[in-house]
């Protein structure tokens, strides 16, 4: 369950544009006084095939530690996650939906998860939506982060995180619970058809390494949690990460793996790192 929530969180946080026509998910970070190169890689957290390309393995060989959005080896992760999953101030999913819509969601969750909506009533609706990702793909769900962690463990290298679970889950207190519930109702009414179709298209785009196309696709998403709240999901977090990335890379050659959405756009990690004084180049 913990792994599912982490991958699903990552998927929602994970896809935007690049200020370049270069098609690459892997970027070399240098300059700005760095004594050694680091690498930045755009990941996707829900996939059927998380096989790492050779260029990624080569970059991992050249670095000394792995840094993901979250430190997934943190022993406190589960405790933080449990405390951040609940809505505040006594809000429930039932209070955010009409009686008819709540009954639709209840039947839908019972069929797909084996849990009544009443059992999950106090969870943030996004967290409930996150539990549905395995139902959206016709395979056993894998994550790129999981493969990166396997590689790091084989090399006996440490895995660290750019932010805490609490910081990540707090985003879903900034996004109105009503909008989250509205999306869950939509998902229940179309029985995952639109969500499944959108995810499959994104998986195909990810294979092309065209982050600009991925950005355009997400801006057109019918899921308002992706298309409407990019400031909360992406931009503010990107800005918070830059000083942290700089400090980590200055200390040790690091392989950074973050959701592909965070790479691009004017307020994306690539552009912000360049403004901070780093040279960021695509690796082919």
């Amino acid at each position: 369950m913990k792994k599912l929530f982490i991958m699903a969180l990552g998927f929602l946080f994970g896809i935007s544009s690049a200020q370049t026509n270069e098609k690459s998910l892997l970027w070399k970070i240098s300059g700005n006084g760095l004594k050694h190169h680091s690498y930045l890689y755009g990941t996707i957290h829900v996939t059927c095939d998380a096989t790492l390309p050779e260029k990624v393995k080569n970059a991992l060989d050249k670095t000394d530690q792995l840094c993901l959005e979250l430190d997934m080896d943190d022993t406190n992760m589960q405790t933080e996650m449990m405390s951040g999953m609940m809505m505040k101030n006594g809000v429930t999913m039932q209070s955010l939906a009409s009686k008819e819509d709540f009954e639709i969601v209840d039947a839908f969750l019972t069929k797909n998860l084996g849990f009544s909506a009443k059992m999950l009533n106090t969870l943030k609706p996004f967290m409930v939506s996150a539990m549905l990702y395995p139902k959206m793909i016709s395979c056993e769900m894998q994550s790129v982060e999981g493969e990166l962690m396997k590689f790091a463990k084989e090399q006996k290298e440490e895995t660290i995180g750019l932010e805490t679970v609490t910081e990540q889950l707090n985003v879903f207190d900034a996004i109105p619970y009503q909008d989250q519930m509205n999306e869950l109702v939509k998902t229940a009414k179309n029985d995952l058809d639109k969500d499944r179709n959108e995810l499959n298209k994104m998986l195909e785009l990810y294979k092309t390494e065209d982050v600009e196309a991925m950005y355009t696709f997400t801006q057109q998403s019918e899921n308002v949690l992706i298309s409407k709240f990019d400031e909360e999901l992406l931009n503010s977090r990107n800005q918070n990460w830059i000083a942290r990335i700089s400090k980590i890379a200055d200390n040790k050659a690091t392989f950074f793996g973050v959701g592909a959405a965070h790479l691009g756009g004017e307020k994306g990690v690539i552009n912000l790192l360049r403004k901070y004084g780093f040279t960021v180049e695509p690796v082919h």
Side-chain angles (χ1 to χ4, degrees):
M1 186 69 72
K2 179 178 76 170
K3 184 185 292 185
L4 171 60
F5 282 142
I6 294 167
M7 289 191 290
L9 275 170
F11 172 75
L12 191 61
F13 286 134
I15 314 156
S16 186
S17 85
Q19 298 297 297
T20 177
N21 291 325
E22 296 277 5
K23 293 183 180 180
S24 182
L25 293 169
L26 182 64
W27 300 74
K28 183 172 71 173
I29 304 171
S30 61
N32 204 19
L34 291 183
K35 299 180 181 65
H36 30 243
H37 298 157
S38 285
Y39 290 86
L40 174 66
Y41 186 55
T43 67
I44 194 163
H45 318 279
V46 179
T47 182
C48 289
D49 183 6
T51 304
L52 299 177
E54 285 303 313
K55 66 178 182 180
V56 171
K57 293 179 181 179
N58 290 337
L60 286 163
D61 280 334
K62 295 175 183 177
T63 49
D64 300 319
Q65 67 180 354
L66 172 65
C67 181
L68 303 175
E69 292 180 27
L70 298 172
D71 178 358
M72 295 168 69
D73 283 334
D74 186 353
T75 56
N76 296 319
M77 175 173 285
Q78 190 164 358
T79 301
E80 287 188 64
M81 186 170 291
M82 291 303 295
S83 64
M85 286 167 57
M86 307 298 179
M87 286 186 278
K88 296 181 178 179
N89 303 318
V91 179
T92 64
M93 292 198 295
Q94 198 162 7
S95 70
L96 297 170
S98 67
K99 183 175 183 295
E100 179 184 1
D101 284 349
F102 188 76
E103 289 176 352
I104 291 172
V105 169
D106 183 58
F108 170 73
L109 295 179
T110 300
K111 180 182 77 170
N112 286 283
L113 297 178
F115 295 109
S116 163
K118 294 177 182 177
M119 293 178 63
L120 306 172
N121 209 9
T122 59
L123 293 183
K124 294 172 184 176
F126 165 74
M127 297 306 301
V128 179
S129 297
M131 298 168 71
L132 294 163
Y133 280 112
K135 298 288 184 177
M136 297 183 196
I137 53 178
S138 57
C139 62
E140 183 177 351
M141 190 168 70
Q142 302 177 34
S143 79
V144 173
E145 283 78 6
E147 291 302 306
L148 292 173
M149 288 184 67
K150 285 181 187 177
F151 202 97
K153 286 179 180 178
E154 289 173 1
Q155 295 185 319
K156 295 180 170 52
E157 293 178 357
E158 184 181 9
T159 297
I160 60 176
L162 281 173
E163 61 189 4
T164 66
V165 173
T166 299
E167 286 177 312
Q168 200 167 96
L169 289 179
N170 281 346
V171 171
F172 293 96
D173 289 316
I175 295 175
Y177 297 148
Q178 187 64 64
D179 286 295
Q180 297 180 43
M181 189 62 193
N182 291 346
E183 285 304 315
L184 181 57
V185 171
K186 281 167 53 179
T187 295
K189 287 184 174 179
N190 71 61
D191 198 24
L192 283 175
D193 285 344
K194 290 184 179 179
D195 303 82
R196 187 178 292 113
N197 182 56
E198 187 164 291
L199 176 56
N200 286 334
K201 288 181 179 178
M202 181 54 67
L203 289 171
E204 289 303 311
L205 278 176
Y206 184 78
K207 292 177 185 178
T208 71
E209 301 198 34
D210 190 340
V211 288
E212 182 66 38
M214 285 188 274
Y215 169 73
T216 300
F217 184 80
T218 58
Q219 294 303 291
Q220 298 169 349
S221 173
E222 293 184 30
N223 187 330
V224 299
L225 299 186
I226 297 174
S227 57
K228 181 180 176 181
F229 294 102
D230 59 338
E231 186 62 36
E232 292 82 359
L233 292 172
L234 297 173
N235 299 340
S236 62
R237 296 171 67 225
N238 293 347
Q239 187 63 59
N240 290 339
W241 289 350
I242 299 306
R244 300 177 189 183
I245 289 174
S246 177
K247 183 177 180 180
I248 292 168
D250 187 58
N251 182 58
K252 187 179 291 188
T254 304
F255 187 101
F256 296 93
V258 301
H262 294 281
L263 296 187
E266 183 180 350
K267 298 180 180 180
V269 174
I270 292 172
N271 195 47
L272 292 177
L273 283 173
R274 287 170 173 167
K275 286 185 175 180
Y276 208 77
F278 292 103
T279 298
V280 187
E281 304 167 285
V283 179
H284 297 296

